[in-house]
């Protein structure tokens, strides 16, 4: 299977001189749901921003085969319109679709995240988990096939957290999407195909999520 995301030997430092990523490499196949773990400051958000084209590395190679959608930790940072339907439609403005086609895209994308019934709901009247699903619907409407999630469940309670991760697992399976999901919450590893452990800007372990889960739990108790 071909790689949707390939990162080879990345190096990234801030202008202040602090080095964040060094010799960072990973590969994610099309259709995989992968998670990225690592201590605070290990470089997870920086790596995601490089993958999304928001930052540029000083050296190394990044190859992205698809269009990228980004879901942030705090949905209030990315939902910009007053209602659910308007927010998803807003992302389509640049595509200049005919009205009926845009309306169809919005409905279909909201249905994909089980929010069809909330199309007219004001954003302020949504729960945190529903807001995250609106952000995902926006990416689906724009036909993004690579989704990057930066701690999307950090502000959610356990039930909404598990609802969201299961929803993304299903979307990846049903629509052949590729997803990279940053988290600190080990329970979420139960829903992904593969996981990466980042330490001081480098992938130091990768593979079976259950093995990584055990390893990280045992490290935490040392
Ligand atoms: N705009 C910035 N300017 C300078 N340094 C920064 C900036 N943003 C982040 N850093 C530094 O880069 C390093 C990596 O940050 P990053 O946000 O990628 O970590 P992270 O793994 O996502 O951590 P967390 O788990 O806390 O979200 C940290 O040392 C951080 O202080
Ligand atoms: Mg981060």
């Amino acid at each position: 299977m071909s790689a949707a995301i390939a990162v080879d030997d990345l190096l990234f430092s801030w202008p202040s001189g602090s080095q964040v990523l060094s010799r960072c490499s990973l590969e994610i196949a099309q259709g995989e749901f992968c998670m990225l773990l690592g201590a605070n400051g290990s470089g997870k958000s920086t790596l995601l921003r490089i993958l999304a084209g928001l930052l540029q590395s000083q050296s190394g190679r990044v190859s992205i085969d698809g269009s990228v959608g980004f879901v942030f930790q705090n949905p209030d940072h990315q939902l910009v319109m007053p209602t659910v339907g308007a927010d998803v439609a807003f992302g389509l403005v640049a595509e200049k679709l005919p009205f009926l086609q845009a309306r169809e895209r919005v409905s279909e994308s909201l249905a994909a995240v089980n929010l069809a019934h909330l199309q007219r709901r004001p954003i302020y009247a949504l729960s945190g988990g529903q807001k995250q699903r609106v952000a995902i619907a926006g990416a689906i409407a724009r036909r993004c096939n690579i989704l990057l999630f930066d701690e999307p469940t950090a502000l959610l309670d356990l039930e909404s957290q598990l609802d969201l991760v299961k929803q993304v697992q299903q979307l990846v399976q049903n629509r052949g999407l590729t997803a990279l999901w940053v988290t600190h919450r080990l329970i979420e590893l139960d829903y992904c195909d593969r996981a990466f452990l980042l330490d001081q800007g480098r992938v130091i372990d990768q593979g079976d999520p259950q093995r990584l889960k055990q390893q990280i739990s045992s490290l935490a108790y040392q």
Side-chain angles (χ1 to χ4, degrees), residues 5-220:
I5 300 175
V7 166
D8 189 26
D9 221 7
L10 277 196
L11 186 145
F12 179 85
S13 312
W14 291 104
S16 58
S18 67
Q19 185 149 324
V20 179
L21 300 177
S22 93
R23 313 216 61 191
C24 182
S25 301
L26 60 78
E27 210 170 286
I28 299 176
Q30 253 152 27
E32 268 194 307
F33 181 14
C34 291
M35 291 193 180
L36 178 63
L37 294 102
N40 294 133
S42 56
K44 305 178 297 297
S45 298
T46 306
L47 176 60
L48 250 55
R49 280 185 224 154
I50 291 173
L51 296 178
L54 303 172
L55 285 174
Q56 190 150 24
S57 63
Q58 278 87 17
S59 71
R61 275 200 313 273
V62 179
S63 153
I64 301 285
D65 187 4
S67 64
V68 170
F70 205 118
V71 177
F72 295 94
Q73 177 173 345
N74 185 343
D76 291 330
H77 293 164
Q78 72 183 125
L79 303 181
V80 293
M81 296 298 278
T83 66
V84 168
D87 195 86
V88 176
F90 182 71
L92 297 175
V93 167
E95 291 190 40
K96 298 196 170 80
L97 294 175
F99 174 75
L100 287 178
Q101 214 174 317
R103 196 168 69 175
E104 178 56 32
R105 279 251 203 125
V106 170
S107 308
E108 181 253 339
S109 311
L110 285 171
V113 294
N114 303 330
L115 287 184
H117 60 298
L118 296 185
Q119 184 155 349
R120 289 165 198 276
R121 173 79 67 92
I123 295 290
Y124 70 77
L126 297 177
S127 72
Q130 288 167 338
K131 286 182 186 174
Q132 287 299 36
R133 279 149 62 198
V134 175
I136 296 169
I140 289 172
R142 294 194 311 278
R143 296 290 184 252
C144 298
N145 49 9
I146 298 177
L147 302 181
L148 305 177
F149 296 87
D150 198 354
E151 297 194 49
T153 56
L155 305 176
L156 305 185
D157 63 28
L158 181 65
E159 194 186 337
S160 313
Q161 171 198 9
L162 295 184
D163 281 351
L164 191 72
V165 71
K166 285 179 199 167
Q167 177 107 67
V168 170
Q169 183 189 37
Q170 274 178 9
L171 281 172
V172 168
Q173 280 170 6
N174 299 343
R175 296 185 160 239
L177 305 176
T178 306
L180 180 57
W181 170 291
V182 171
T183 186
H184 289 288
R185 295 177 157 190
L186 296 183
I187 191 171
E188 293 172 8
L189 284 166
D190 293 354
Y191 301 92
C192 72
D193 302 316
R194 222 150 52 85
F196 300 94
L197 179 60
L198 203 63
D199 181 47
Q200 296 181 31
R202 184 182 315 196
V203 175
I204 57 160
D205 201 352
Q206 60 182 293
D208 178 45
Q210 295 307 318
R211 183 181 63 75
L212 256 81
K213 187 175 172 182
Q214 278 183 356
Q215 183 157 330
I216 294 168
S217 326
S218 64
L219 284 174

